[in-house]
């Protein structure tokens, strides 16, 4: 959309968006991660900025260019993402967590490259902090949007995340479907609201979906 024709309906809002995967290092050359491209989060950051918001993007490693006009903070691990997000939480009015945070990290990171001769048979993993759950537990008027990537029982699993993480809106993606989820330009999303409503959206491009999510965020925010 042409920037000059976009209504600045998010003016005065500080929107914090997270995007991309996190990487959990085993040693200086190896890591555990996931297939997130970062495209959805970057699309939301661009759209929010175009609509007049002050936008902070906290992003894991992606191939994407930092959006123009958006404060972009690059992080690698889940723990770095947590620190970057919590530092800015108090000053934000809307948080949209599109990042695919690794749930586990290696219990130890070797300072030097591990040689195959002394490679252990198993890798010990420990749980990463759940950033979004922490935000939900410490809410002070912020509107919280989570994503739920599922391959089964989509609505049930996404609904649980809405409640357990104290969210205002969940964008649920059936990543088992063709044309949805990781590393593609389209999504088939369902939006779950606090009042139990579920909105089914058609297959759409991530840029269009970003604007729909921001429309709903604006509407929920105005009722809060
Ligand atoms: N999330 C987070 N910190 C984590 C894990 C997830 O902030 N350590 C956020 C994601 O950014 C996303 C939401 O929580 O907005 C849901 O992520 P998802 O991986 O679908 O859910 P989990 O709670 O990790 O549960 P599971 O992986 O078992 O489905
Ligand atoms: Ca997870």
């Amino acid at each position: 959309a042409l920037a000059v024709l976009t209504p600045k309906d998010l003016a005065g809002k500080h929107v914090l968006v997270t995007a991309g995967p996190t990487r959990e290092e085993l040693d200086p050359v190896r890591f555990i991660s996931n297939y997130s491209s970062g495209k959805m989060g970057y699309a939301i950051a661009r759209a929010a900025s175009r609509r007049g918001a002050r936008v902070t993007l906290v992003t894991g490693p992606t191939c994407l260019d930092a959006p123009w006009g958006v404060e972009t903070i690059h992080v690698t691990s889940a723990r770095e993402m947590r620190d970057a997000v919590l530092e800015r939480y108090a000053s934000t009015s809307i948080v949209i967590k599109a990042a695919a945070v690794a749930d586990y990290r290696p219990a130890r990171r070797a300072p030097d490259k591990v040689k195959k001769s002394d490679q252990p048979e198993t890798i010990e993993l420990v749980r990463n902090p759940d950033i979004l759950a922490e935000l939900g537990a410490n809410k002070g008027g912020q509107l919280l949007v989570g994503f739920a990537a599922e391959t089964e029982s989509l609505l049930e699993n996404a609904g649980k995340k809405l409640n357990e993480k104290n969210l205002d809106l969940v964008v649920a993606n059936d990543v088992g479907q063709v044309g949805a989820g990781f590393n593609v330009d389209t999504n088939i999303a369902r939006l779950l609201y606090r009042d139990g409503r579920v909105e089914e959206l058609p297959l759409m491009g991530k840029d269009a979906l970003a604007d729909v999510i921001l429309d709903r965020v604006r509407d929920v925010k105005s009722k809060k």
Side-chain angles (χ1 to χ4, degrees):
L2 272 171
V4 285
L5 299 178
T6 304
K8 305 291 182 207
D9 57 349
L10 296 176
K13 304 271 189 284
H14 182 192
V15 180
L16 176 65
V17 183
T18 70
T22 65
R23 282 183 186 169
E24 312 298 327
E25 295 184 356
L26 284 150
D27 69 15
V29 299
R30 304 183 178 95
F31 57 83
I32 294 172
S33 192
N34 59 65
Y35 282 119
S36 172
S37 65
K39 285 175 183 171
M40 191 65 240
Y42 276 61
I44 293 168
R46 282 194 306 269
S49 175
R50 191 183 356 99
R51 292 166 66 155
R54 171 184 158 208
V55 182
T56 302
L57 173 65
V58 176
T59 176
T62 72
C63 300
L64 306 172
D65 292 330
W68 193 83
V70 169
E71 179 197 19
T72 303
I73 293 139
H74 295 272
V75 297
T76 305
S77 67
R79 288 186 297 175
E80 284 169 23
M81 182 172 282
R82 173 183 174 275
D83 291 347
V85 167
L86 287 184
E87 216 174 281
R88 292 161 180 88
Y89 189 40
S91 72
T92 61
S93 39
I94 296 162
V95 181
I96 305 180
K97 281 231 66 214
V101 183
D103 292 321
Y104 292 90
R105 67 177 181 275
R108 285 165 297 276
R109 177 193 183 277
D112 292 305
K113 184 185 166 191
V114 176
K115 304 306 291 177
K116 63 184 166 199
S117 51
D118 46 51
Q119 195 94 9
E121 265 173 45
T122 57
I123 298 169
E124 195 190 327
L125 300 175
V126 294
R127 271 286 263 282
N128 269 330
D130 189 317
I131 305 166
L132 193 50
E134 212 168 324
L135 299 181
N138 296 293
K139 229 195 234 181
Q142 292 94 340
L143 190 137
L144 279 187
V145 182
F147 277 69
E150 311 288 350
T151 58
E152 53 178 5
S153 311
L154 179 70
L155 293 181
E156 192 192 324
N157 285 327
K160 254 190 223 158
K161 285 170 190 170
L162 181 79
N163 289 320
E164 287 169 6
K165 304 193 192 201
N166 193 24
L167 309 178
D168 298 283
L169 177 64
V170 169
V171 182
N173 278 311
D174 188 340
V175 290
Q177 275 188 76
V178 179
F182 292 139
N183 251 313
V184 293
D185 291 318
T186 52
N187 258 344
I188 307 166
R190 285 179 174 72
L191 306 183
L192 284 75
Y193 299 89
R194 279 219 83 86
D195 60 7
R197 249 179 335 119
V198 177
E199 182 181 8
E200 295 202 15
L201 298 173
L203 174 81
M204 42 169 90
K206 289 184 177 179
D207 285 315
L209 178 58
D211 272 317
V212 173
I213 292 168
L214 291 173
D215 288 347
R216 301 302 183 266
V217 162
R218 179 200 56 207
D219 296 345
V220 172
K221 184 91 186 157
S222 69
K223 275 189 249 151
K224 256 188 139 180

